[in-house]
Amino acid sequence: MKELMVQGTGQLAWVEVPTPRLASARSALVRPIASASCDLDRRLIAGVTPFKPPFALGHECVAEVLEVGAEVTTVRRGDLVSVPWKIACGECRQCLAGRATACTAVPRHAAYGVPAGGHWGGLFAEVVMVPFADAMLVPLPPGLNPLAVASASDNLTDAWVAASQPIATREDARVLVVGGTESLGVLAVQMAVAAGAASVDYLDDNDFRRDLAQRSGAHIEPGAELNERYDVVVAATRDPHALHRGLLALAPGGHCSCIGILFEDPKIPLFGMYMRGVTLSVGACNVRPHIPKVVELVGSGQCDPLLVSPTIVNCEEATEALVQPLAKCIVVRERMTG
Ligand SMILES: [Zn+2]
Ligand SMILES: [Zn+2]
């Protein structure tokens, strides 16, 4: 089968590799039919992350189930499923507490499309092995456009959790989304609106994303004086200065969800944060428990993830499309199971 590999810095290619087989009675084989680029992917290809090639790319997709092991009960051949980015067992102490990113049954950081905890394949590949099918896969309801939830594996659900959790405990929340990565900021705007924010302001110097954020329901913040104005800040930026501004923008009792991935140590205004009693959360998103809710939000039209994924290509066009700046891209493949 063919797998999309980052072979070296800036080198992306389809490579012929052995087709994976079922690893156990609890595993499944799936065929991605709509794979989205994560906001991290272009940087992974460019070689500007701690994760070095060669490795298989891709950790967001909807797939069709090809084959399941004897003990799998929740999905069967032909089902359309969302495949979470994180490999996790669903049964260990951490998984049961909703912390799949800390799963103790697999190597630390085990995931698709990032070579941080071993090599598990990438979700642009023709066939992917899912070691814990019942714990990981989320069957999709009939009638849902699979392209619209391709990103539920990571970015879309990350945006939902980052916005909705702090909004849930703050009445009439004033929200600031600090944009900067390809899709997360705009998705966070949509999710803040869906979560019932009283207002959503968007801060970004990029015109393309500002337009998308406005169409998603945000007021575009010119950014002159932000300090202590917001109950919730979602920092979807890689810029340490933008994160710093977001932290200063928190009102007393506020919360900042930091979902842009910063590789350096940013400056954190801790004393002011202490005095205002604000919190900062950071960490890869435990998506699996939240994917059903996200699927429901997409199905009911409460968010429109395709707004940030204007480029839809086939596999031949993928290597070109995935290195383009600005927007997310979705790679599609025909179904086999009908
Ligand atoms: Zn990602
Ligand atoms: Zn586990």
Side-chain angles (χ1 to χ4, degrees), residues 261-276:
I261 307 174
L262 287 81
F263 296 118
E264 62 283 346
D265 284 344
K267 196 174 151 207
I268 307 288
L270 270 184
F271 181 59
M273 291 170 68
Y274 174 87
M275 293 302 280
R276 282 172 289 135

Side-chain angles (χ1 to χ4, degrees), residues 38-40 43 49-51 59 154-155 158 181 184 235-239 258-264 282-284:
C38 167
D39 286 4
L40 181 63
R43 287 194 297 167
T49 80
F51 311 118
H59 57 265
D154 185 12
N155 288 168
D158 195 5
T181 75
L184 274 168
T237 176
R238 300 159 185 156
D239 175 1
C258 176
I259 57 173
I261 307 174
L262 287 81
F263 296 118
E264 62 283 346
V282 65

Side-chain angles (χ1 to χ4, degrees), residues 87-96 99-100 102-106 132:
I87 311 284
C89 76
E91 292 180 346
C92 71
R93 180 176 59 87
Q94 297 284 20
C95 280
L96 288 174
R99 294 186 290 263
C103 176
T104 56
V106 292
F132 309 101

Side-chain angles (χ1 to χ4, degrees), residues 4-313:
L4 190 60
M5 297 270 302
V6 180
Q7 296 181 296
T9 300
Q11 293 177 285
L12 186 62
W14 291 99
V15 175
E16 191 68 32
V17 298
T19 304
R21 296 181 187 176
L22 291 179
S24 75
R26 299 161 68 194
S27 66
L29 298 178
V30 303
R31 172 181 164 89
I33 62 156
S35 307
S37 57
C38 167
D39 286 4
L40 181 63
D41 283 355
R42 210 158 47 86
R43 287 194 297 167
L44 286 171
I45 300 165
V48 294
T49 80
F51 311 118
K52 297 306 173 194
F55 60 90
L57 189 72
H59 57 265
E60 296 191 348
C61 85
V62 165
E64 61 178 343
V65 177
L66 296 179
E67 189 181 347
V68 300
E71 291 174 21
V72 174
T73 60
T74 56
V75 296
R76 58 181 178 175
R77 180 175 164 86
D79 285 353
L80 283 187
V81 291
S82 171
V83 185
W85 66 273
K86 179 76 183 85
I87 311 284
C89 76
E91 292 180 346
C92 71
R93 180 176 59 87
Q94 297 284 20
C95 280
L96 288 174
R99 294 186 290 263
T101 54
C103 176
T104 56
V106 292
R108 218 169 144 203
H109 310 307
Y112 295 115
V114 182
H119 290 267
W120 299 86
L123 298 186
F124 290 108
E126 272 182 292
V127 181
V128 176
M129 199 278 290
V130 181
F132 309 101
D134 286 338
M136 292 171 59
L137 299 176
V138 182
L140 299 181
L144 190 69
N145 178 2
L147 275 62
V149 288
S151 192
S153 308
D154 185 12
N155 288 168
L156 183 57
T157 304
D158 195 5
W160 165 249
V161 173
S164 68
Q165 290 199 334
I167 288 172
T169 54
R170 290 169 176 84
E171 206 176 324
D172 298 325
R174 300 158 296 173
V175 177
L176 173 68
V177 175
V178 182
T181 75
E182 288 87 338
S183 76
L184 274 168
V186 176
L187 292 174
V189 168
Q190 295 188 4
M191 291 313 200
V193 172
S199 64
V200 184
D201 290 355
Y202 183 80
L203 182 69
D204 193 337
D205 55 14
N206 179 273
D207 287 337
F208 177 75
R209 287 189 299 266
R210 284 205 295 218
D211 176 56
L212 296 182
Q214 195 161 29
R215 287 159 64 190
S216 297
H219 161 76
I220 302 305
E221 173 54 54
E225 179 49 54
L226 300 178
N227 285 1
E228 304 192 15
R229 278 174 48 188
Y230 298 95
D231 305 300
V232 174
V233 171
V234 178
T237 176
R238 300 159 185 156
D239 175 1
H241 302 291
L243 171 65
H244 194 263
R245 283 190 84 187
L247 292 169
L248 294 177
L250 287 170
H255 178 90
C256 174
S257 303
C258 176
I259 57 173
I261 307 174
L262 287 81
F263 296 118
E264 62 283 346
D265 284 344
K267 196 174 151 207
I268 307 288
L270 270 184
F271 181 59
M273 291 170 68
Y274 174 87
M275 293 302 280
R276 282 172 289 135
V278 303
T279 53
L280 167 64
S281 63
V282 65
C285 184
N286 288 290
V287 291
R288 173 60 183 84
H290 305 283
I291 291 176
K293 176 65 182 179
V294 165
V295 166
E296 181 196 314
L297 290 168
V298 175
S300 60
Q302 290 180 78
C303 63
D304 176 17
L306 288 174
L307 189 68
V308 296
S309 306
T311 311
I312 294 163
V313 298

